[in-house]
């Protein structure tokens, strides 16, 4: 069978998922799953790109043994980058966005440059982890690396480069950098000049669906094509949503929660700046207009800490525990900076509840319930802000990714937001990755046909507010 391989690199793990079309339906098989854990190098928290390449090559080998593999596509989260020297060699491991090097950078830059004006020039939500701010700190604190660099590529583009020997940056991942003009969709050279960043550091931009090259012989693999998919994992997830048109409300619920819609042009205003919405690029010149919020990070940190204490809980166990937890829960602001760093999440939640004179958590179930309620209420708030900006409202939302696997959480989101919640796209990111490959290879004529595949292949679950739940296939 002819197939494509979607490599999806998430916050703690990566996967290689094989996709093919059989009798008009989308078929999938997860071939490999591996850790994507940051390492310490030269005092920074970094990607382990060498180990990731080993896992990617292994996944391709498995795919080529199992099928007639036509192509490979890689997606990752945004903002993180790799620097190459004049010989094309990696200067240092890419620094992870959770590294502390950008702490306080916004105050520093805000002292001599307008952050609001920067928003108008790029359309990107001002976040200290953005590539621009990482690059400024690198230039100031590690000039030996910065001035040695001949090319900058995003992490997914670096992995493509390792596979093919070809250098380019795909536009959806580039749109997370705070370095592009949101209207021309090209490098913002005026901005680069204002921060004294050489524009020749940045290679050509390519659209999703570009065939960048083939797997090189040195890897001992067949020469399958390598395709620039929507390399920003959020853009890939959005590409899987079967509804056409621009009135689509989605929440990509993973370590981060990304809440937004799809527009035909950027929405950049004083109001969108104040409410911290970002304009990034999606398929077919679309804009993914969204807000980045803390997601399952708090939940995952709780699981990790309880495991360290000898209490390991599966998601199924947690759902059952929460269902039996009748206590009122403290309401936490999931965007509070104290919840953003790793470690001691139990203590942080307890301290927050005590400081705000709320009921103190009394059990693991109580802590998990607090995390879920905090997220659901943040979703409600952000959706309200989004609808105010757009001037229209949504009746339903697509809950994508890992968070949507919990029926308890899905129903909670429906009840709190008052929206019909549609789940089923648990593997939204790898599905969107594969769809772009199918289109590039000519297996589907366009994304309309690709989305029809999704409609006919996935069973969608509907969660209605006020506990009215139905399961059916999306029509």
């Amino acid at each position: 069978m002819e197939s494509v391989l979607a490599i999806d690199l998430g916050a703690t793990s990566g996967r290689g998922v094989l996709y093919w079309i059989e009798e008009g339906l989308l078929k999938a098989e997860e071939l490999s799953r591996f850790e994507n854990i940051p390492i310490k190098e030269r005092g920074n928290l970094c990607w382990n790109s060498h180990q990731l390449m080993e896992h990617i090559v292994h996944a391709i080998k498995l795919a080529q043994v199992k099928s007639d593999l036509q192509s490979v596509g890689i997606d990752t989260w945004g903002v993180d980058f790799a620097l190459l020297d004049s010989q094309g060699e990696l200067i240092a491991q890419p620094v992870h966005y959770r590294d502390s090097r950008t702490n306080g950078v916004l105050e520093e830059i805000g002292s001599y440059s307008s952050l609001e004006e920067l928003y108008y020039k790029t359309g990107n939500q001002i976040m200290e982890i953005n590539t621009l701010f990482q690059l400024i700190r690198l230039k100031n604190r590690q000039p030996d690396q910065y001035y040695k660099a001949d090319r900058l590529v995003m992490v997914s583009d670096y992995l493509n480069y390792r596979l093919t020997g070809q250098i380019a940056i795909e536009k959806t991942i580039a749109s997370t950098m705070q370095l592009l003009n949101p209207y021309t969709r090209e490098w913002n050279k005026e901005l680069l000049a204002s921060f004294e960043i050489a524009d020749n550091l940045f290679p050509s931009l390519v659209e999703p669906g570009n065939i960048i090259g083939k797997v090189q012989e040195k890897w001992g693999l067949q020469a399958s094509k390598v395709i620039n998919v929507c390399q920003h994992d959020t853009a890939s997830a959005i590409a899987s949503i079967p509804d056409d048109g621009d009135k689509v409300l989605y929440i990509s619920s993973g370590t981060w929660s990304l809440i937004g819609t799809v527009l035909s042009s950027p929405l950049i205003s004083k109001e969108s700046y104040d409410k911290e919405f970002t304009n990034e690029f999606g398929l077919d010149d679309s804009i993914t207009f969204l807000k980045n919020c803390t997601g399952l990070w708090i939940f995952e940190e709780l699981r990790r800490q309880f495991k360290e204490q000898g209490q390991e809980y599966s998601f199924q166990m947690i759902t059952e525990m929460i269902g039996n937890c009748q206590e009122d829960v403290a309401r936490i602001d999931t965007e509070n900076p104290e919840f953003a760093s790793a470690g001691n999440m139990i203590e942080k939640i307890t301290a927050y509840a005590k400081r705000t004179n709320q009921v103190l958590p009394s059990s693991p179930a109580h802590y998990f319930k607090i995390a879920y309620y905090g997220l659901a209420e943040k979703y409600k708030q952000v959706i309200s802000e989004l609808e105010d900006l757009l001037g229209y409202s949504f009746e339903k939302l697509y809950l994508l990714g890992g968070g949507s696997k919990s029926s308890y959480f899905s129903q909670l989101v429906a009840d709190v937001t008052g929206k019909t919640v549609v789940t089923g796209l648990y593997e939204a990111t790898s599905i969107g990755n594969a769809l772009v490959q199918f289109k590039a290879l000519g297996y589907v004529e366009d994304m309309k046909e690709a989305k029809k595949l999704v409609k006919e292949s996935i069973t969608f679950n509907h969660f209605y507010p006020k506990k009215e739940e139905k399961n059916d296939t999306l029509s």
Side-chain angles (χ1 to χ4, degrees):
M1 66 184 182
E2 295 183 341
S3 65
V4 302
L5 180 65
I7 302 290
D8 173 31
L9 302 179
T12 58
S13 67
R15 299 171 305 142
V17 185
L18 195 68
Y19 284 92
W20 67 98
I21 301 171
E22 184 178 306
E23 297 181 352
L25 297 176
L26 187 65
K27 302 290 185 178
E29 180 183 351
E30 183 178 292
L31 297 183
S32 65
R33 182 177 288 266
F34 46 87
E35 287 189 338
N36 185 15
I37 304 298
I39 57 174
K40 276 285 188 179
E41 183 178 279
R42 305 183 191 183
N44 292 120
L45 192 67
C46 298
W47 289 69
N48 191 345
S49 67
H50 300 319
Q51 186 177 80
L52 286 178
M53 275 305 302
E54 292 176 3
H55 289 305
I56 290 168
V57 169
H58 179 65
I60 295 172
K61 178 182 275 188
L62 292 176
Q64 291 182 342
V65 168
K66 193 170 188 68
S67 66
D68 183 6
L69 184 68
Q70 298 297 301
S71 64
V72 182
I74 302 172
D75 66 75
T76 69
W77 65 78
V79 307
D80 291 347
F81 60 89
L83 294 177
L84 305 176
D85 64 19
S86 58
Q87 303 303 310
E89 297 297 325
L90 185 66
I91 293 172
Q93 287 290 341
V95 174
H96 195 286
Y97 74 92
R98 288 202 182 273
D99 183 72
S100 62
R101 73 173 172 180
T102 54
N103 289 357
V105 70
L106 296 184
E107 291 80 5
E108 176 188 319
I109 293 173
S111 68
Y112 64 83
S113 180
S114 167
L115 296 179
E116 185 172 346
E117 186 65 27
L118 181 59
Y119 177 79
Y120 294 143
K121 290 179 178 179
T122 64
N124 288 144
Q125 178 181 356
I126 305 296
M127 301 177 71
E128 65 182 16
I129 63 174
N130 290 354
T131 308
L132 171 62
F133 305 129
Q134 291 196 46
L135 194 56
I136 289 170
R137 276 287 167 87
L138 175 77
K139 182 182 179 184
N140 293 339
R141 297 184 178 182
Q142 294 171 298
D144 57 324
Q145 291 186 29
Y146 176 83
Y147 289 106
K148 189 179 179 182
D150 182 68
R151 283 287 187 272
L152 179 151
V153 289
M154 302 303 278
V155 170
S156 52
D157 296 299
Y158 170 69
L159 298 171
N160 284 340
Y161 164 65
R162 290 288 307 280
L163 284 175
T164 66
Q166 302 300 313
I167 294 178
I169 295 185
E170 185 274 326
K171 285 190 176 181
T172 68
I173 198 84
S175 71
T176 69
M177 299 172 73
Q178 200 124 45
L179 289 172
L180 267 62
N181 182 314
Y183 300 103
T184 66
R185 302 173 71 90
E186 298 294 338
W187 297 115
N188 193 322
K189 293 189 177 182
E190 176 191 351
L191 177 67
L192 292 170
S194 69
F195 286 102
E196 298 182 339
I197 298 171
D199 59 15
N200 60 5
L201 191 62
F202 303 94
S204 300
L205 292 165
V206 296
E207 298 286 348
N210 175 64
I211 299 174
I212 191 170
K214 294 183 177 181
V215 176
Q216 298 180 90
E217 290 183 7
K218 70 177 183 179
W219 297 109
L221 301 167
Q222 299 168 30
S224 300
K225 296 180 176 68
V226 177
I227 295 176
N228 298 111
V229 294
C230 289
Q231 289 173 206
H232 186 206
D233 51 10
T234 303
S236 267
I238 295 166
S240 74
I241 298 174
D243 271 9
D244 297 319
D246 60 358
K247 291 191 177 182
V248 174
L249 174 63
Y250 56 80
I251 300 176
S252 181
S253 181
T255 301
W256 288 85
S257 289
L258 299 107
I259 307 162
T261 189
V262 179
L263 302 176
S264 58
S265 59
L267 197 169
I268 302 173
S269 65
K270 179 67 167 62
E271 292 76 16
S272 64
Y273 168 74
D274 289 341
K275 292 178 179 178
E276 299 181 313
F277 277 79
T278 196
N279 294 264
E280 296 171 355
F281 299 162
L283 270 177
D284 300 327
D285 294 332
S286 65
I287 294 293
T288 59
F289 184 69
L290 57 88
K291 186 170 183 175
N292 292 278
C293 300
T294 298
L296 294 175
W297 164 255
I298 296 173
F299 192 89
E300 291 164 350
E301 282 293 288
L302 285 172
R303 285 186 72 208
R304 185 177 65 80
Q305 190 173 359
F306 281 123
K307 183 178 180 180
E308 290 174 352
Q309 297 177 357
Q311 304 172 77
E312 187 167 0
Y313 300 110
S314 68
F315 284 99
Q316 182 60 38
M317 291 172 63
I318 291 169
T319 297
E320 293 172 1
M321 288 162 51
I322 293 176
N324 295 322
C325 179
Q326 301 304 314
E327 294 93 341
D328 290 336
V329 296
R331 298 306 203 256
I332 64 171
D333 178 4
T334 54
E335 293 305 290
N336 192 300
E338 67 189 287
F339 299 125
S341 58
N344 303 314
M345 194 59 71
I346 294 171
E347 291 78 9
K348 290 172 183 176
I349 291 175
T350 301
Y352 187 97
K354 186 175 183 179
R355 187 172 67 249
T356 53
N357 297 314
Q358 299 187 75
V359 61
L360 298 182
S362 58
S363 67
H366 213 166
Y367 282 97
F368 289 123
K369 191 173 182 180
I370 287 171
Y372 269 156
Y373 267 82
L375 281 180
E377 290 180 342
K378 179 57 64 175
Y379 293 172
K380 179 181 180 179
Q381 175 193 329
V382 175
I383 290 169
S384 176
E385 293 173 348
L386 176 64
E387 291 177 336
D388 285 346
L389 285 168
L390 297 174
Y392 55 81
S393 60
F394 302 90
E395 294 183 359
K396 68 179 178 181
L397 69 86
Y398 283 88
L399 188 60
L400 314 173
S404 66
K405 292 180 180 180
S406 168
S407 58
Y408 173 87
F409 184 53
S410 300
Q411 186 62 58
L412 179 64
V413 172
D415 292 341
V416 171
T417 64
K419 309 294 184 186
T420 298
V421 172
V422 184
T423 69
L425 288 169
Y426 313 122
E427 306 300 332
T429 303
S430 65
I431 291 173
N433 180 321
L435 294 180
V436 173
Q437 293 187 65
F438 285 135
K439 180 173 179 282
L441 295 170
Y443 289 108
V444 294
E445 183 177 348
D446 51 27
M447 287 308 295
K448 183 176 181 179
E449 184 179 344
K451 289 174 182 289
K452 184 180 178 183
L453 266 180
V454 176
K455 285 184 180 181
E456 295 178 352
S457 306
I458 302 293
T459 298
F460 289 85
N461 306 309
H462 287 56
F463 296 83
Y464 298 91
K466 307 302 181 185
K467 306 298 183 182
E468 295 177 12
E469 176 180 337
K470 295 181 181 180
N471 294 323
D472 51 28
T473 300
L474 188 69
S475 59

